[in-house]
Amino acid sequence: MEEILAQLSSIKQAFQQDLQKIQLLREFDDLKISFLGKKSPLQGLLAGMKELSVDNRRTVGPALQELKGFLESTIEEARQAFIERKARTAIEKEQNFDVTAYKPGAVHGRLHPYSQAVEEIEDIFISMGYEILDGPELETDFYNFTALNIPQDHPARDMYDTFWTNKKSMLMRTHTSPVQVRSMQTLELPLAAIVPGRTYRHEAVDATHDFMFMQCEGFFIDKNVTIAHMFATAQTFLKQLFKKDELDIRIRPGFFPFVEPGFEIDMRCPFCSQGCSVCKRSTWMEVFPGGMIHPNVLRAGGIDPDVYSGFAFGFGLSRLVMLKYSIDDIRHLYGGKLKFLEQF
Ligand code: FA5
């Protein structure tokens, strides 16, 4: 019997030592299992009671029950006290929080290079009297192709590797040009607008091609608009974007079914005078495709081509951003790597 009472005393001692060590709330459950659970020494002693004589049971029984009650109530009280202590500390922490405190080395958010470039491009065109328009990225075959003078089975459709959807005639727009006819149908003339936005092509990805990239469409429609207006607009825009007082541009013929005549405007490489890897040693860079809006496109937009004329362009905004900030791989733009983004 003495032996059992000594065991009870050492259980109590071990319990109090373990209780002192608790750091986490869930450790109260572990403590309960090891001192009151089925496999605990206390349960072993309780099970062994039936082996004892009646006299011994009268002494050991209450001592066992007393220890059991002590363990149960101590665990519950200590658990409660633990929770209250934690809550108090949290409140105190909050009360002492100084919103004006200076934290050295705090990381500041900033605009993505795309957003910075789009804002700058918008400002330049707004200063020339343009408005900013938007259009759907999920487009119909009609606005993306047919209304742009690219009917079904026209070989020019091959110029655009298209992401078709499982909805008939719906696709991810391959360029921002569909917004041309959408705007002609809904807005008043004269119309001068740009449309920066995402475009999609089912293309192999490399340093200069992505399957999702940004373009910026632009158009000006009024009476007596000529190609001279487009060249002047392109030059003014590029000079301001690349912060150059003088900018050499070169005009070449280019084919797009929705313009006639069509052009490619190249600009002198802003990084070199002799040729470099960016301009592929030619000193020229292709930056501004455009032309006079095809009469069929004006008609699709409900505009009489005998009365009105207009120019349109659609440059690769991703490529211009790469040139402006000397980014050598288009995949960085959507990579989301902080090391890259922190440079802007
Ligand atoms: C077009 O998309 C015509 N809609 C542009 C246009 C509009 C011409 C209005 C005339 C009048 P193109 O397929 O060449 O044209 O694309 C225009 C620009 O988008 C290219 O010069 C290039 O800078 C960019 N681009 C094309 N494909 C990709 C790609 N996979 N990744 C990144 N940029 C691309």
Side-chain angles (χ1 to χ4, degrees):
M1 189 179 76
E2 248 80 84
E3 202 185 308
I4 296 176
L5 294 176
Q7 274 185 42
L8 292 185
S9 152
S10 68
I11 290 174
K12 193 171 179 179
Q13 217 176 350
F15 168 78
Q16 277 165 331
Q17 277 171 5
D18 286 2
L19 185 65
Q20 295 297 321
K21 291 185 204 146
I22 284 190
Q23 304 271 355
L24 302 168
L25 190 58
R26 63 172 163 72
E27 288 170 357
F28 285 99
D29 291 331
D30 300 340
L31 189 73
K32 196 167 179 177
I33 291 167
S34 44
F35 284 90
L36 288 157
K38 276 189 196 141
K39 292 181 185 155
S40 64
L42 185 68
Q43 292 297 347
L45 291 174
L46 280 165
M49 280 276 287
K50 51 185 180 300
E51 318 284 327
L52 300 179
S53 66
V54 178
D55 273 357
N56 283 351
R57 254 189 260 166
R58 278 210 190 101
T59 320
V60 172
L64 277 172
Q65 287 308 331
E66 191 193 296
L67 180 63
K68 188 165 176 251
F70 169 78
L71 297 179
E72 282 169 350
S73 60
T74 310
I75 289 175
E76 279 326 303
E77 280 162 22
R79 192 205 300 272
Q80 217 39 54
F82 182 91
I83 293 170
E84 279 164 25
R85 206 165 49 244
K86 282 273 169 213
R88 232 182 357 258
T89 325
I91 291 168
E92 273 163 17
K93 242 193 200 165
E94 213 163 279
Q95 278 170 348
N96 296 332
F97 183 74
D98 179 2
V99 286
T100 64
Y102 170 69
K103 183 173 179 291
V107 182
H108 293 282
R110 62 195 87 197
L111 286 179
H112 189 279
Y114 261 142
S115 309
Q116 293 183 30
V118 168
E119 277 187 7
E120 197 176 340
I121 289 167
E122 286 180 355
D123 284 349
I124 297 171
F125 278 101
I126 286 170
S127 75
M128 289 195 270
Y130 280 66
E131 60 182 308
I132 316 296
L133 298 179
D134 204 359
E137 290 174 27
L138 180 62
E139 233 338 330
T140 61
D141 180 293
F142 175 76
Y143 286 110
N144 197 82
F145 291 125
T146 313
L148 291 171
N149 201 32
I150 320 177
Q152 289 288 345
D153 306 322
H154 191 286
R157 286 197 181 217
D158 297 343
M159 289 164 68
Y160 304 94
D161 299 309
T162 310
F163 282 117
W164 292 95
T165 69
N166 52 12
K167 268 204 154 175
K168 195 170 177 286
S169 302
M170 296 297 286
L171 49 95
M172 299 308 292
R173 68 177 178 193
T174 57
H175 50 175
T176 40
S177 300
V179 188
Q180 284 186 35
V181 172
R182 282 186 176 277
S183 315
M184 291 177 206
Q185 288 176 337
T186 50
L187 300 172
E188 298 284 310
L189 296 181
L191 181 55
I194 60 159
V195 188
R198 283 194 198 93
T199 49
Y200 303 81
R201 288 190 199 174
H202 189 253
E203 275 184 12
V205 171
D206 63 25
T208 51
H209 294 83
D210 210 342
F211 61 88
M212 176 178 81
F213 56 98
M214 297 268 291
Q215 277 194 348
C216 182
E217 196 76 7
F219 37 88
F220 174 37
I221 307 166
D222 198 0
K223 288 178 180 156
N224 304 318
V225 175
T226 71
I227 201 68
H229 293 114
M230 184 176 107
F231 296 149
T233 306
Q235 199 161 27
T236 309
F237 163 65
L238 293 170
K239 269 189 199 169
Q240 291 198 31
L241 187 69
F242 288 95
K243 312 229 174 329
K244 299 247 173 196
D245 291 335
E246 285 306 318
L247 193 84
D248 232 359
I249 63 167
R250 173 174 90 167
I251 298 151
R252 291 178 292 123
F255 171 72
F256 301 95
F258 32 93
V259 286
E260 182 55 40
F263 300 95
E264 290 280 359
I265 300 182
D266 300 340
M267 114 184 173
R268 275 277 187 216
C269 177
F271 304 112
C272 70
S273 52
Q274 309 277 313
C276 65
S277 61
V278 182
C279 60
K280 301 200 180 86
R281 320 255 155 237
S282 72
T283 76
W284 289 104
M285 283 182 328
E286 210 178 284
V287 283
F288 208 89
M292 295 304 289
I293 301 176
H294 196 288
N296 287 349
V297 178
L298 290 172
R299 275 188 210 105
I303 293 170
D304 183 351
D306 293 328
V307 182
Y308 288 96
S309 56
F311 65 77
F313 53 85
F315 56 84
L317 210 152
S318 302
R319 300 256 173 96
L320 272 195
V321 171
M322 288 170 73
L323 286 178
K324 188 168 162 56
Y325 297 118
S326 308
I327 298 167
D328 61 356
D329 193 320
I330 194 168
R331 288 165 289 199
H332 290 316
L333 284 169
Y334 277 119
K337 283 213 175 98
L338 279 181
K339 267 217 160 73
F340 167 76
L341 294 171
E342 276 164 6
Q343 299 172 63
F344 299 93

